[in-house]
Amino acid sequence: MSEPKKLFIKTYGCQMNVYDSERMVEAMQADGYVTTEHAEDADLVLLNTCHIREKASEKLYSDLGRLRPLKTANPDMKIGVAGCVAQAEGGEIMRRMPLVDLVVGPQSYHRLPEMARTGRKQIDTEFPTEDKFDLLPKRKALRGPSAFLTVQEGCDKFCAFCVVPYTRGAEVSRPLQRIVDEARDLVERGVKDITLLGQNVNAYHSDKTGLAGLVRTLARIDGLERVRYTTSHPNDMEDDLIAAHADEPKLMPYLHLPVQSGSDRILKAMNRKHTAEQYLRLIERVRLARPDILLSSDFIVGFPGETDADFQQTLDLVSAVGYGMAYSFKYSARPGTPAAEKPDVDAAVADARLQVLQALVTRQQRACQDAMVGRDVGVLYDKPGRMPGQMVGKSDHLHAVHVTDPAGKPGDLVRVRILASSSNSLAGERIS
Ligand code: SAH
Ligand code: SF4
Ligand code: F3S
């Protein structure tokens, strides 16, 4: 028998790309491929790309430059570009980089095995009528007790800075039953913690069920212990979802709710369709439902027209909320988006703002972590730690926790008393 073909895959961008990469690997495995950690051994190199900021997008081209000598040494090697840059730039990628053989968008990757089989140069960036999830193989062996599950794709919000509505298309929700079936498959393979994914996950809607109904349905699956979801938009935070945070014990106390800016003027220019005050009131309601919830957000600094006063309002909002986690980005003008037409804020000013904001959220993150010391939390072990007899897992609040537990195994869900907090993780002792 001939040797199986080898696939090397590299993933950039958000968790939805991580999920898509897993599904692409499974589709190629069903077609006889095995994975390799080394691009130089691969018959097919796949780059699953992100278009969100210029830097992310340009990584594709630097990686392709690095692959060139490998392809010269092994002309049979095929190179494929998947994901959001594939969708945004399509055939342009092959014109700029003739070494690319396949370009496949996020909605057509179920066709990848067939594209790879023909061996011809091909582009598929359609938004096909068939549902790729119906045509992909069932979920296979998994590495750990936590898994992602995409339930919703696309975005209709058209924030003025963002490429996602163009790269991922309109909002589409997967049918409830398909999601339940996939979750059951995952649980049968040992998964205990599922994070539901969507570019606008709380806009999920299918069979008269919103995200709250989906969460409650999944929570009834025996063996599934934890449910999370990301990313949410403030305007889709319905009452029933907030209520689920109060009374659904399997829904974890963590909410990523990006606000982007604390200035109403900038929020309006961003087309976010809510004010800072409305966001703060929403946070109050969420905290009323689940007082210990850990809040997380994304921020953009240096959006066109942002003044020092606007930026100060962002700092004020961060101080008012107190985040357990936050990501801040310097605005990057993206071709085709409305904001790209506007003049940029001075780069040095934007850099300085980014540093100030990052310093503030780092302090808040640390304070939130330190406040866990002395508390008892649930921890789901992921893998052994670096020290002998040690396990590493995730707390309910998604903090990394180190526990000395020589009998511990990945997938054990245990109670831990937190004893110490260090820069990126907590440490504790198992209490049951
Ligand atoms: N759907 C999600 C997040 C999508 S992208 C939401 O609505 O929040 C993830 C984050 O990238 C965004 O929240 C935003 O903070 C950041 N981002 C998106 N476009 C950007 C751009 N052009 N420049 C800088 N950051 C951007
Ligand atoms: Fe982009 Fe806005 Fe849609 Fe989020 S809600 S994906 S930031 S357009
Ligand atoms: Fe990037 Fe596409 Fe995700 S642009 S952030 S990979 S949806």
Side-chain angles (χ1 to χ4, degrees), residues 52 154-166 168 171 198-200 231-234 236 258 260 270-272 298 300:
I52 202 82
C155 180
D156 299 337
K157 301 283 190 294
F158 290 93
C159 299
F161 50 80
C162 183
V163 293
V164 171
Y166 312 99
R168 294 277 174 162
E171 280 176 16
Q199 266 93 22
N200 266 285
T231 294
S232 301
H233 192 288
D236 291 321
Q260 316 296 354
M270 286 177 163
N271 193 31
R272 291 290 291 184
D298 294 338
I300 294 178

Side-chain angles (χ1 to χ4, degrees), residues 51-58 89 159-163 166 300-304 329-345 347 350:
H51 197 51
I52 202 82
R53 285 167 288 273
E54 191 181 355
K55 256 198 199 138
S57 215
E58 287 303 315
E89 295 184 3
C159 299
F161 50 80
C162 183
V163 293
Y166 312 99
I300 294 178
V301 302
F303 185 81
F329 308 103
K330 191 165 93 165
Y331 169 73
S332 166
R334 306 305 290 130
T337 60
E341 310 291 314
K342 310 249 186 73
D344 278 349
V345 165

Side-chain angles (χ1 to χ4, degrees), residues 254-284:
Y254 189 105
L255 177 61
H256 183 59
L257 196 60
V259 62
Q260 316 296 354
S261 168
S263 152
D264 288 345
R265 223 173 53 81
I266 295 298
L267 287 169
K268 190 153 197 292
M270 286 177 163
N271 193 31
R272 291 290 291 184
K273 298 199 173 81
H274 62 76
T275 63
E277 186 55 38
Q278 282 165 336
Y279 179 84
L280 290 172
R281 278 209 299 273
L282 174 59
I283 296 290
E284 266 171 29

Side-chain angles (χ1 to χ4, degrees), residues 299-356:
F299 294 93
I300 294 178
V301 302
F303 185 81
E306 187 187 65
T307 62
D308 285 340
D310 293 316
F311 177 61
Q312 184 56 48
Q313 288 174 354
T314 298
L315 297 176
D316 294 346
L317 180 139
V318 172
S319 300
V321 174
Y323 287 100
M325 189 71 195
Y327 304 89
S328 24
F329 308 103
K330 191 165 93 165
Y331 169 73
S332 166
R334 306 305 290 130
T337 60
E341 310 291 314
K342 310 249 186 73
D344 278 349
V345 165
D346 180 84
V349 171
D351 281 330
R353 287 179 189 161
L354 186 66
Q355 282 194 18
V356 172

